[in-house]
Amino acid sequence: MRTEHARPIRLSDYRAPDWLVDTVHLDVALHPSRTRIKARLALRPNPSARGPAPLVLDGDELTPLSVTIDGAALPATEYAAGPDGLTIPQPPAGPFVLEVETEIDPSANTKLMGLYRSSGNYCTQCEAEGFRRITYFPDRPDVMAVYTTRIEAERDEAPVLLGNGNLVARGDVPGTGRHFAVWHDPFPKPCYLFALVGGRLDVRRTTFTTMSGRSVELAVYVEPGKADRAGYALAALERSMRWDEQAFGREYDLDVFNIVAVADFNMGAMENKGLNIFNDKYVLASPETATDADFAHIEAVIAHEYFHNWTGNRITCRDWFQLCLKEGLTVFRDQEFSADMRSRPVKRIADVRVLRGHQFVEDAGPLAHPVRPETYREINNFYTATVYEKGAEVVRMLKILLGPETFRAGMDLYFARHDGRAATIEEFVACFAEAGGTDLSQFMLWYGQAGTPEIAVTRRHDSQGGTLVLDIAQVVPPTPGQPAKSPMQIPLVLGFVGPDGRDVPLTLRGHGPLERGVLVLTKPAERFVFDGITVPVVPSLNRGFSAPVKIKADLGSDDLRFLATHDSDPFNRWQAVQTLASEILIGNVAAIRTGGGVRHDGGLVHALASVLEDERLEPAFVAQVLSIPSEGDIARDIGRDVDPEAIFDARHALRRAIGNDLAPTLRVLYDRLRDDGPYSPDAASAGRRALRNVCLDLLAAPGHAGAVALAAAQYAEADNMTDRMAALGTLSLHDTAERETALADFAERFRDDPLVIDKWFALQAMIPDPSTLARVERLTDHPAFSLGNPNRVRALLGSFAQANHTQFNRADGKGYDFVAGMVLTLDGKNPQVAARLMTAFRSWRALESGRRDKARATLERVAANPSLSRDLADIVERSLG
Ligand code: ARG
Ligand code: ZN
């Protein structure tokens, strides 16, 4: 491998393709090391192109065997073919058929892009640019074709053969021990949606009847012996299909929908037409092996990939700059689905935690980029929290601005107008502007401007005159390549909470009643006057987290405590507690750093107690309120000169104080929430377990032997992974004999189950103790660990680098050196996963100077390496920026 100083690709350089492909016939003869692919492409000049053009096809590590045009071999002088492309300088002027044969080695494919083997089975991953590793092709999403795929393999090696679309033929190849299957997909698609699978797989099936009465065969394929863990995923698929009919009027379109779970997968899952391929982590679940969080993730990812059938597949992206067109929209859809299946407020809180924990952090550092980037060197590095999660927030804001009916009308227009096409963000937003009869040009800045807007709110109440004045200013901070920003259109959902806890009506001067409570900001600074406010009120700002912004409001701790107990918006009840805790923590971090003592705040404990004792609240919500800001949250709120040790100490002290002060209540709840029935993964049961396990963790926080013993007992007696893992997590924070006993037991109990052993790797990697680095180094030699499997890498190394703030950021810099060394080794095998791991350094500039210097030195050492992949070079160079 060599460092590829590929020039950046720019959105502004977009040109329509010179050649279009109408049909693709693939003939794939599977073989462990010499798989042969015959591709027959029906090509024609693009009528909208600028006259005769050479044919330039992409390739990546391909071996060309033969090239014919309209059935006749093409002389070697008339084309150039190598590992990374095939060019025909003077192709025929009109439509023609190109046939190319290539050979590839699936067993040697450690990048897990293109056709590769996982546990001996053949599978593919083509998004974003993997299809070019199978055959030469115009590998860009605006080239859409109808595919027919014939797959042939040894019957013994691969009894199951799956492709996109519907099965049209199958049979034996007489006298060879080989068999074949032919799949036809009638829907034109970009090549990144191509997939095939061949292998020994068990299956779980059901039949789904669509809203118009068509019957669809659903199947989930898994490695042999694991079908009993596929039932939850299959049921989640049925729920997703029904929900998309009801919520968006979208019906499924093929006769079959297949899902295949594989053990080696770079990302979460892939929406290939009619043949989704999944990381087995997002399919396999049983009560004994999966936690409630795993079940929820499976439901969400199954839904996400299914929803792509309309938002991604039927309507795809014109180019990769438009990635959020399918990803942001589809994340929004899966979030809405989960909110409907579970608890809407709790889902919103969980999503906002993820957004702040990943996207806000990304947006505040050197890797910040707009939801729709304008340039990239390696597109795989743009499957980010910004494109996905902030992209979803932008769609949610459209819904908030327009209201649910107009939003739905805009979606309907989008589906009607762009079905079967490759679209852009402008085309998507135009549908909503038309449906709402409104101008969304300022709104488009959400796609073009990076950085998290910062909103400052001050209020002045005149109770005699009955007016409340809000002065609101907004600033979007500079980000790489974007030093100056324009003001954004920001929908801020608002409430004024009166003394009795009820909302006071909102009448905006010069406007009238505020529909749905949506205050729309558009200027750098604005004054809003509300009339008829005769009682003292506390403003509840950005309810439901209506806009992905940071808010600084002049709310005192009395106001926050009031909101924590009285706000009718559950999100802001939770937020008020978080803000209270965050203020205390930030003060205590500063005190610790100057050698002072931590302040103990009775007000916060009071607010927590009132939430704990409010029996009308759902347990899952209470669990969220009791989960104080994470170390990452505190670091982000501090923003600069970050000292991870001081943050840990302040947080630890607060958890101990809560555990001590609330011990009796926590213990009563812990006992009361005990569930004696059989395990069920439904949201209400999961919520009770979540609250019970938060109680356990807080009870143990002060380190009392009794509480640690309680955790050890729960670990030993648990009949489900949620309770077992929660107890182990609590034990992991206490350097006791119980911890090592439980860890050893876990390893032995689940030794044959790599997905479960990942939990064991991750937990140990997150232990906030100086001995953890040595522990993690030792675990890289554990027989269950492998750099070849992305899940193992993420569990052990990803958890250490992304989730262990004190130990990755060791003051001696050894955490950085260790991770950088692993990244460099990994880069030779799997650049995509290596580059992703390296993003752990993205907040290095915000650290205190000692750690900052060490992190910079490590980054520079990696950057100086002469043989980095393009993926890794891109991340390292942008990080140093
Ligand atoms: N489209 C997939 C999803 O559902 C992600 C695939 C990304 N894969 C990659 N190698 N970049 O989100
Ligand atoms: Zn997606």
Side-chain angles (χ1 to χ4, degrees):
M1 216 173 297
R2 72 206 145 82
T3 304
E4 297 173 69
H5 280 282
R7 61 189 171 83
I9 299 170
R10 293 181 200 287
L11 172 57
S12 56
D13 289 344
Y14 175 82
R15 279 204 312 132
D18 292 320
W19 290 88
L20 301 178
V21 184
D22 288 324
T23 59
V24 178
H25 284 84
L26 290 174
D27 196 335
V28 181
L30 293 173
H31 180 280
S33 59
R34 294 188 316 278
T35 288
R36 292 256 177 139
I37 298 107
K38 283 187 207 151
R40 192 163 88 237
L41 316 182
L43 291 148
R44 76 186 148 89
N46 186 350
S48 74
R50 307 169 297 181
L55 178 70
V56 181
L57 302 181
D58 301 299
D60 183 12
E61 299 189 71
L62 291 178
T63 306
L65 300 177
S66 68
V67 180
T68 71
I69 282 186
D70 292 330
L74 194 63
T77 51
E78 289 180 26
Y79 72 95
D84 31 52
L86 184 155
T87 303
I88 303 179
Q90 288 176 314
F96 70 95
V97 172
L98 177 73
E99 282 184 85
V100 181
E101 196 174 355
T102 51
E103 186 179 282
I104 57 179
D105 181 352
S107 301
N109 185 350
T110 60
K111 294 182 179 172
L112 313 185
M113 288 295 285
L115 177 66
Y116 64 94
R117 295 179 83 206
S118 175
S119 311
N121 295 324
Y122 297 89
C123 65
T124 56
Q125 170 59 33
C126 291
E127 187 178 2
E129 298 176 334
F131 191 70
R132 63 182 67 181
R133 294 168 59 76
I134 297 173
T135 189
Y136 296 106
F137 202 76
D139 191 351
R140 45 187 290 168
D142 56 355
V143 173
M144 298 171 80
V146 170
Y147 285 67
T148 308
T149 309
R150 181 183 182 280
I151 314 163
E152 191 195 294
E154 297 287 328
R155 189 182 266 288
D156 289 344
E157 189 192 22
V160 174
L161 298 174
L162 303 172
N164 303 106
N166 300 315
L167 179 68
V168 291
R170 61 180 305 166
D172 285 320
V173 185
T176 61
R178 292 176 76 80
H179 74 146
F180 70 91
V182 180
W183 291 80
H184 177 74
D185 177 7
F187 294 93
K189 64 167 175 288
C191 67
Y192 80 84
L193 290 174
F194 170 84
L196 70 78
V197 167
R200 313 190 140 275
L201 297 162
D202 285 354
V203 63
R204 188 135 172 173
R205 301 177 188 279
T206 192
T207 304
F208 180 85
T209 306
T210 70
M211 60 201 273
S212 73
R214 278 191 320 100
S215 146
V216 182
E217 293 304 315
L218 312 183
V220 179
Y221 289 85
V222 296
E223 283 178 13
K226 297 185 176 167
D228 56 339
R229 293 193 203 175
Y232 186 80
L234 188 59
L237 175 61
E238 295 180 81
R239 291 196 291 279
S240 308
M241 296 177 81
R242 194 60 75 210
W243 184 88
D244 212 13
E245 295 182 340
Q246 288 162 355
F248 284 95
R250 297 297 110 196
E251 185 176 9
Y252 187 60
D253 48 16
L254 291 164
D255 303 337
V256 296
F257 190 86
N258 288 321
I259 289 175
V260 180
V262 301
D264 304 87
F265 203 75
N266 280 346
M267 311 275 279
M270 182 62 213
E271 69 265 23
N272 319 297
K273 184 77 187 191
L275 178 55
N276 288 1
I277 298 182
F278 271 63
N279 187 324
D280 60 7
K281 179 179 163 63
Y282 294 114
V283 171
L284 301 175
S286 69
E288 296 74 31
T289 59
T291 62
D292 291 330
D294 293 328
F295 280 98
H297 283 136
I298 289 169
E299 182 176 57
V301 180
I302 291 274
H304 179 96
E305 306 308 334
Y306 173 71
F307 297 156
H308 267 315
N309 190 56
W310 273 97
T311 52
N313 300 4
R314 296 283 293 245
I315 307 179
T316 191
C317 304
R318 187 194 70 173
D319 54 71
W320 290 120
F321 295 100
Q322 322 293 330
L323 184 58
C324 64
L325 177 74
K326 71 178 180 80
E327 295 304 345
L329 176 55
T330 304
V331 170
F332 169 75
R333 278 153 50 71
D334 83 55
Q335 290 176 344
E336 287 293 296
F337 165 76
S338 293
D340 283 348
M341 295 299 117
R342 293 163 177 262
S343 154
R344 183 163 283 269
V346 172
K347 173 65 177 161
R348 187 64 186 137
I349 290 166
D351 287 343
V352 173
R353 278 190 192 273
V354 170
L355 182 81
R356 286 179 171 149
H358 297 279
Q359 200 280 324
F360 278 27
V361 174
E362 183 167 83
D363 232 358
L367 300 181
H369 54 274
V371 171
R372 183 175 61 179
E374 263 141 40
T375 167
Y376 64 77
R377 277 172 59 194
E378 172 51 62
I379 188 58
N380 285 319
N381 288 338
F382 284 84
Y383 287 72
T384 59
T386 297
V387 170
Y388 277 64
E389 271 76 33
K390 189 175 180 181
E393 294 301 320
V394 175
V395 176
R396 179 172 289 101
M397 284 189 287
L398 277 175
K399 182 170 179 183
I400 292 168
L401 279 169
L402 300 176
E405 290 82 21
T406 308
F407 176 77
R408 175 66 197 269
M411 286 298 299
D412 289 347
L413 182 57
Y414 175 64
F415 289 126
R417 184 179 285 173
H418 296 288
D419 187 15
R421 305 276 246 270
T424 63
I425 287 298
E426 280 77 6
E427 290 171 325
F428 174 68
V429 173
C431 294
F432 297 95
E434 266 180 63
T438 177
D439 178 5
L440 291 171
S441 45
Q442 189 183 17
F443 187 82
M444 282 297 292
L445 288 171
W446 280 106
Y447 289 101
Q449 283 193 163
T452 307
E454 296 166 5
I455 313 278
V457 184
T458 54
R459 68 189 147 140
R460 218 182 47 241
H461 187 210
D462 170 7
S463 52
Q464 258 102 64
T467 57
L468 184 82
V469 178
L470 291 185
D471 282 305
I472 306 188
Q474 57 158 301
V475 165
V476 187
T479 48
Q482 297 187 332
K485 306 285 168 78
S486 304
M488 315 264 276
Q489 183 182 21
I490 299 173
L492 213 58
V493 173
L494 198 69
F496 292 150
V497 188
D500 60 355
R502 283 219 293 256
D503 277 11
V504 168
L506 301 167
T507 311
L508 179 61
R509 189 173 294 175
H511 176 96
L514 217 52
E515 309 87 271
R516 306 184 309 278
V518 188
L519 186 68
V520 182
L521 316 181
T522 57
K523 303 197 183 83
E526 288 165 275
R527 169 163 295 180
F528 300 96
V529 181
F530 294 89
D531 291 311
I533 315 285
T534 50
V535 295
V537 296
V538 180
S540 170
L541 303 163
N542 208 24
R543 280 185 162 171
F545 206 67
S546 57
V549 299
K550 295 183 184 168
I551 298 207
K552 263 213 164 57
D554 58 349
L555 296 177
S557 43
D558 290 350
D559 295 327
L560 291 170
R561 281 203 301 277
F562 178 77
L563 292 177
T565 34
H566 291 101
D567 201 324
S568 63
D569 179 56
F571 180 88
N572 270 0
R573 275 188 86 168
W574 169 81
Q575 180 62 59
V577 177
Q578 294 293 305
T579 307
L580 264 178
S582 172
E583 286 172 359
I584 294 164
L585 288 162
I586 290 173
N588 285 343
V589 168
I592 288 169
R593 291 190 69 187
T594 53
V598 300
R599 178 170 65 99
H600 183 48
D601 187 290
L604 173 68
V605 173
H606 221 83
L608 290 176
S610 72
V611 169
L612 261 181
E613 282 152 16
D614 187 340
E615 296 198 2
R616 293 161 306 177
L617 295 171
E618 39 177 348
F621 174 80
V622 179
Q624 288 285 3
V625 174
L626 283 186
S627 305
I628 63 165
S630 68
E631 291 160 67
D633 290 333
I634 304 164
R636 188 187 65 245
D637 287 350
I638 293 175
R640 49 176 296 278
D641 191 24
V642 165
D643 177 350
E645 289 289 344
I647 289 174
F648 178 84
D649 291 346
R651 184 172 188 274
H652 186 54
L654 182 57
R655 281 166 35 81
R656 293 173 68 109
I658 297 171
N660 274 321
D661 292 0
L662 296 179
T665 320
L666 292 169
R667 182 61 213 239
V668 168
L669 257 184
Y670 179 82
D671 292 331
R672 177 158 26 97
L673 288 164
R674 177 182 208 103
D675 202 343
D676 291 320
Y679 173 90
S680 154
D682 68 90
S685 312
R688 284 192 298 277
R689 280 185 292 273
L691 180 53
R692 184 165 190 261
N693 287 322
V694 173
C695 290
L696 174 68
D697 197 48
L698 286 170
L699 279 168
H704 302 314
V708 172
L710 195 62
Q714 175 173 320
Y715 172 85
E717 290 156 19
D719 69 348
N720 65 80
M721 182 54 85
T722 305
D723 289 335
R724 191 183 304 282
M725 202 58 208
L728 192 61
T730 292
L731 288 173
S732 80
L733 299 176
H734 301 274
D735 188 1
T736 58
E738 284 96 329
R739 170 169 85 190
E740 299 309 318
T741 308
L743 282 170
D745 173 85
F746 194 94
E748 182 52 31
R749 202 184 276 263
F750 299 106
R751 53 188 296 171
D752 299 321
D753 205 326
L755 271 185
V756 182
I757 292 298
D758 281 347
K759 299 180 190 302
W760 182 79
F761 281 136
L763 196 69
Q764 295 181 83
M766 292 187 294
I767 295 175
D769 186 273
S771 63
T772 293
L773 176 58
R775 191 192 280 263
V776 174
E777 281 175 316
R778 233 183 308 119
L779 287 172
T780 60
D781 292 327
H782 191 280
F785 184 77
S786 159
L787 276 182
N789 178 284
N791 287 354
R792 299 305 88 77
V793 170
R794 282 185 286 256
L796 184 62
L797 306 177
S799 301
F800 178 74
Q802 311 264 12
N804 194 335
H805 290 259
T806 55
Q807 302 315 306
F808 172 61
N809 295 296
R810 282 166 63 115
D812 62 9
K814 287 190 175 152
Y816 304 143
D817 288 340
F818 167 68
V819 171
M822 297 308 292
V823 166
L824 285 170
T825 310
L826 185 57
D827 196 39
K829 295 185 202 296
N830 190 330
Q832 225 180 85
V833 175
R836 187 56 65 111
L837 185 56
M838 198 67 196
T839 64
F841 286 87
R842 66 190 170 184
S843 298
W844 70 275
R845 273 183 209 280
L847 294 162
E848 53 79 25
S849 61
R851 289 174 171 85
R852 188 165 68 226
D853 290 346
K854 295 224 156 51
R856 180 196 286 117
T858 304
L859 278 163
E860 282 169 350
R861 228 172 310 126
V862 173
N865 204 293
S867 59
L868 300 184
S869 67
R870 183 169 65 210
D871 308 59
L872 183 54
D874 173 50
I875 294 294
V876 173
E877 285 164 27
R878 280 194 286 138
S879 298
L880 283 166

